[in-house]
Amino acid sequence: MALVEIRDVHKRLGAVDVLRGVTLDIATGQVVCILGASGSGKTTLLRCINHLETIDRGTICVDREMIGYRIGRDGSMREEPDRLAAAKRAQIGMVFQRFNLFAHLTAMENICEAPIQVRGIAPPAARTRALELLQTVGLAHKAEQYPHQLSGGQQQRVAIVRALAMDPKLMLFDEPTSALDPELVGEVLETMRRLATAGMTMIVVTHELGFAREVADRVVMMDGGVLVEDAPPQQFFSAPKHPRTQAFLARMTWAHGGRTDTAAARKRP
């Protein structure tokens, strides 16, 4: 059974049709990587899934619930009150490019804020859980440090832990390594690999082709607001069918010296 069901989703920003009829199912436990050039609609699709962006047409369901919408008596789709949308959104963890940690809070406080304020978890229990999660990413010793005292890779791992502290059904990653120095990319990707191995359902917008090849169950190509290819990694990378996919992979491979593991390619002397 699909955990995420996206049906004919359209989204316009100003005069631009950013999403033009996207349909996609993602099963529980699957890792789906979304590739595509800038402006293809990847980030907008992620933001629509957890209702950070509204949609103009279509439906998005997570675990058979629409996030941020309900069906009215007349059959039309209407936005839910913010408090109801926020409660549903708590089931979905999202990790952004720029970490988005609260600068005035320690790593521990960043992680505990939402479980205490949104879920009503007692502070001692929230701290115990946060420390356990920090330990899994090798950052228990950084629990009382502030974001400015952490490297970019450490901040991103804290951001991942902050999302996991809400026990989400689904994790969304929006180019989580794009703001990192090359030498810090590996530690974040390793954390994501462990999540995938543990069975977390993940949708990952990324340009890390090596990660997509190794970890994804499916790789999706977006172009101009539509899905043009959806295939297992072996097929996607070795025999892509759509010309846009072929051109994108050729360009990415050329840009990184013939290698599809872009993190490794950026580390070359």
Side-chain angles (χ1 to χ4, degrees):
M1 182 180 296
L3 178 70
V4 181
E5 299 170 281
I6 301 171
R7 293 287 179 273
D8 192 31
V9 167
H10 293 252
K11 173 66 180 178
R12 174 177 279 244
L13 292 174
V16 179
D17 289 315
V18 182
L19 300 177
R20 300 186 295 125
V22 174
T23 294
L24 182 66
D25 282 349
I26 297 169
T28 300
Q30 275 196 329
V31 177
V32 175
C33 285
I34 303 178
L35 306 183
S38 296
S40 60
K42 309 181 303 295
T43 292
T44 299
L45 179 61
L46 282 197
R47 291 176 64 85
C48 288
I49 291 171
N50 69 354
H51 197 57
L52 291 178
E53 295 277 359
T54 59
I55 60 177
D56 299 322
R57 197 165 88 229
T59 59
I60 299 176
C61 293
V62 176
D63 202 13
R64 292 175 289 179
E65 280 193 315
M66 285 194 294
I67 308 297
Y69 295 96
R70 59 184 174 182
I71 302 297
R73 292 181 179 178
D74 60 355
S76 63
M77 192 169 67
R78 301 176 182 178
E79 275 199 84
E80 290 182 316
D82 287 345
R83 60 181 181 81
L84 294 179
K88 291 181 180 179
R89 191 184 291 127
Q91 307 172 61
I92 305 170
M94 186 160 183
V95 178
F96 301 87
Q97 297 179 33
R98 294 284 174 180
F99 324 139
N100 285 11
L101 298 178
F102 295 113
H104 65 290
L105 300 180
T106 65
M108 174 66 74
E109 290 166 341
N110 264 283
I111 296 163
C112 291
E113 179 78 4
I116 292 170
Q117 299 299 328
V118 178
R119 286 269 171 93
I121 295 174
R127 287 183 63 86
T128 298
R129 174 66 171 150
L131 195 58
E132 290 172 354
L133 289 169
L134 282 170
Q135 209 152 15
T136 67
V137 299
L139 290 177
H141 62 298
K142 301 287 187 180
E144 301 305 327
Q145 294 197 341
Y146 290 88
H148 74 271
Q149 297 173 303
L150 304 174
S151 70
Q154 290 169 341
Q155 289 185 60
Q156 194 62 295
R157 283 185 283 163
V158 170
I160 293 172
V161 166
R162 180 177 61 178
L164 291 174
M166 293 293 283
D167 294 320
K169 298 176 180 178
L170 170 68
M171 285 286 289
L172 308 177
F173 293 87
D174 184 15
E175 297 193 34
T177 61
S178 65
L180 298 178
D181 292 333
E183 65 270 18
L184 302 177
V185 169
E187 63 192 53
V188 173
L189 293 181
E190 182 55 35
T191 297
M192 294 169 64
R193 283 188 182 93
R194 289 200 297 268
L195 279 180
T197 301
M200 174 62 72
T201 309
M202 298 162 56
I203 306 176
V204 184
V205 170
T206 185
H207 287 303
E208 298 293 345
L209 303 191
F211 175 85
R213 182 192 290 274
E214 296 166 21
V215 179
D217 297 295
R218 291 158 56 200
V219 184
V220 172
M221 177 72 185
M222 287 191 72
D223 181 60
V226 297
L227 304 185
V228 298
E229 190 132 7
D230 181 351
Q234 184 175 3
Q235 177 184 327
F236 186 95
F237 288 105
S238 63
K241 295 180 179 178
H242 198 279
R244 285 297 295 122
T245 310
Q246 296 166 5
F248 176 81
L249 292 177
R251 186 170 67 252
M252 290 290 288
T253 302
W254 176 85
H256 296 288
R259 301 175 65 166
T260 57
D261 187 341
T262 56
R266 287 201 301 271
K267 292 180 185 179
R268 289 177 305 155

